[in-house]
Amino acid sequence: MTIMHRAAAMLLGSIAATFALSAAPANAADMPKLADLNPGWTTMEPGGETACATGTPYSFHVKPGEGADAEKLLIFLNGGGACWTGDQCDIESEPTPYFPFAHMPENTPQDRTGIFDLDNPENPVAKWTQVFAPYCTGDVHIGNRDVTYTNTDGKEVTIRHRGRKNAEAVLAWVYANVEKPERILVAGSSAGAIATPLHAADVAKHYPDTDIIAYADGAGGYRDATIAGLIENWGFWDGAPDWTDAIARDTATFEEIDRAAAAQAPTMRFAEYDSAYDAVQEMFLRLLGNEERLYPLLQKNRDELAEAIPSFRAYTARGTEHTLLRYDRFYTYEEEGVTTRDWLADLIAGEEIESVTCGEPEACEKEPE
């Protein structure tokens, strides 16, 4: 995750006044069809009520699959921070701990490596149909509310926390264009990892006869009493799925959403990857006022998920690096003799996998070789 510098924020911020938010709903029928796309990546502009934080347009990217793997589908939710105060959300403030625009290099798959390295023969999803959902709303893809904040200078800042609206537009296009996928991997990194189970449960409802895997990359250690307030502030409960009624709003956590999603989609398989001392997760915990180290919090969350979700599996790597799927280290990290690449490949192939860990806290502090 990259923190935007002030100069870049001000330059991009000038774009905001150029675009007006359309009142018409997004319509998948108005976008190009999967069958008509050329090889490589195509950018989709859903319009309607979708929007990025400051009102600029939302877009997403699609790559058709190839050969026998064309019937397999990857839906990826990108990461890019979060905001919940006026100073954080104002793109003219510094630091700005989230990506506020869809049209940023960090929000495109073309120059990414990891699972987006389409020329790597070791890439288990290279020939799959891929849908890449950028993230630009500061609400971990789950918000559904426009919020006006006031920063410490008294300036009012209106942020469109429309992460769920944007994700729903992406999924609407998927549902209109992918009839009977053989297998679906719903994956997300960082902020996208938090939302992965929520949106994977929706995918499982639409494709009840398809093998669905939810893979959350780099967000498993958030454990703090303030999270319920963030979820409320972003408007998660505004029009939330009926199955979330089982969650107590005043004490809600991301893991409670995970458990409720797993109960809604009991055949969905659920896996997580994290570095034991992920520096970015620890940074955001500090922004929440929590000075605890990540690994103990991660272990507590995972113990609870494993108890509630029989299919849950986790991979914990050493060190402080943030996320895996978008980087070359996806192919090389190894714990207990199992590479992260092989662990995911076996998972999506339908094989039984076991959880993998770097071990005791002292061992997990060492950076991977």
Side-chain angles (χ1 to χ4, degrees):
M1 182 187 305
T2 301
I3 305 298
M4 289 188 63
H5 296 295
R6 178 186 296 271
M10 293 182 67
L11 174 62
L12 291 171
S14 66
I15 303 172
T18 307
F19 300 97
L21 183 65
S22 170
N27 188 344
D30 294 335
M31 289 181 277
K33 294 179 172 55
L34 177 62
D36 298 332
L37 299 184
N38 294 321
W41 291 100
T42 296
T43 299
M44 303 287 185
E45 303 276 357
E49 296 177 356
T50 65
C52 290
T54 62
T56 58
Y58 183 72
S59 60
F60 63 97
H61 311 279
V62 179
K63 179 197 74 69
E66 303 174 40
D69 281 346
E71 300 305 315
K72 299 171 184 174
L73 175 64
L74 166 67
I75 302 171
F76 181 79
L77 303 171
N78 198 31
C83 76
W84 55 91
T85 71
D87 290 332
Q88 294 168 355
C89 293
D90 184 356
I91 63 172
E92 295 184 1
S93 297
E94 189 178 333
T96 305
Y98 73 107
F99 296 158
F101 306 105
H103 297 89
M104 298 175 66
E106 296 88 346
N107 257 329
T108 58
Q110 288 90 335
D111 296 326
R112 292 287 188 178
T113 54
I115 62 170
F116 300 106
D117 183 352
L118 305 182
D119 296 323
N120 190 329
E122 296 298 311
N123 185 349
V125 297
K127 297 185 183 301
W128 289 31
T129 297
Q130 297 190 6
V131 179
F132 183 103
Y135 167 59
C136 58
T137 49
D139 58 8
V140 302
H141 293 274
I142 68 173
N144 196 32
R145 178 186 296 171
D146 295 355
V147 178
T148 298
Y149 298 92
T150 302
N151 66 17
T152 52
D153 294 330
K155 176 184 175 183
E156 289 191 344
V157 180
T158 298
I159 298 297
R160 292 157 179 83
H161 290 307
R162 301 191 185 188
R164 195 165 82 235
K165 186 71 66 177
N166 295 346
E168 287 171 352
V170 174
L171 294 181
W173 182 90
V174 169
Y175 299 156
N177 285 273
V178 183
E179 183 177 358
K180 293 181 179 179
E182 177 185 330
R183 181 165 294 151
I184 303 175
L185 172 63
V186 183
S189 291
S190 193
I194 294 172
T196 287
L198 169 73
H199 295 300
D202 187 84
V203 172
K205 180 180 179 180
H206 188 84
Y207 298 109
D209 299 323
T210 300
D211 182 25
I212 311 290
I213 305 105
Y215 186 99
D217 170 33
Y222 294 115
R223 187 181 182 91
D224 192 85
T226 61
I227 289 173
L230 300 188
I231 293 170
E232 173 70 35
N233 176 70
W234 290 329
F236 172 75
W237 304 109
D238 299 353
D242 291 343
W243 52 264
T244 63
D245 291 344
I247 303 171
R249 297 190 180 193
D250 58 346
T251 58
T253 65
F254 298 139
E255 280 63 42
E256 287 187 69
I257 296 174
D258 295 348
R259 291 194 291 272
Q264 167 68 15
T267 63
M268 178 176 71
R269 292 181 287 138
F270 183 18
E272 279 190 356
Y273 167 88
D274 284 279
S275 295
Y277 293 97
D278 181 331
V280 172
Q281 290 193 61
E282 290 197 338
M283 178 196 74
F284 274 101
L285 283 168
R286 289 193 296 273
L287 288 175
L288 292 171
N290 188 334
E291 297 293 334
E292 293 185 64
R293 297 306 309 275
L294 183 73
Y295 193 30
L297 302 177
L298 179 66
Q299 289 176 308
K300 290 176 183 177
N301 283 344
R302 288 187 167 167
D303 287 345
E304 293 176 3
L305 290 174
E307 182 177 356
I309 306 171
S311 70
F312 178 77
R313 299 291 185 271
Y315 193 118
T316 308
R318 291 163 286 163
T320 61
E321 292 284 4
H322 182 53
T323 75
L324 179 77
L325 293 178
R326 300 167 294 179
Y327 303 100
D328 283 335
R329 55 181 175 267
F330 166 70
Y331 297 97
T332 59
Y333 275 16
E334 181 177 325
E335 302 290 351
E336 297 186 335
V338 180
T339 65
T340 46
R341 181 267 174 205
D342 289 350
W343 195 73
L344 177 59
D346 288 345
L347 174 69
I348 63 178
E351 298 183 20
E352 180 61 35
I353 63 170
E354 299 298 327
S355 292
V356 174
T357 179
C358 50
E360 296 301 317
E362 295 77 12
C364 291
E365 285 191 291
K366 300 177 182 179
E367 295 294 338
E369 297 177 358

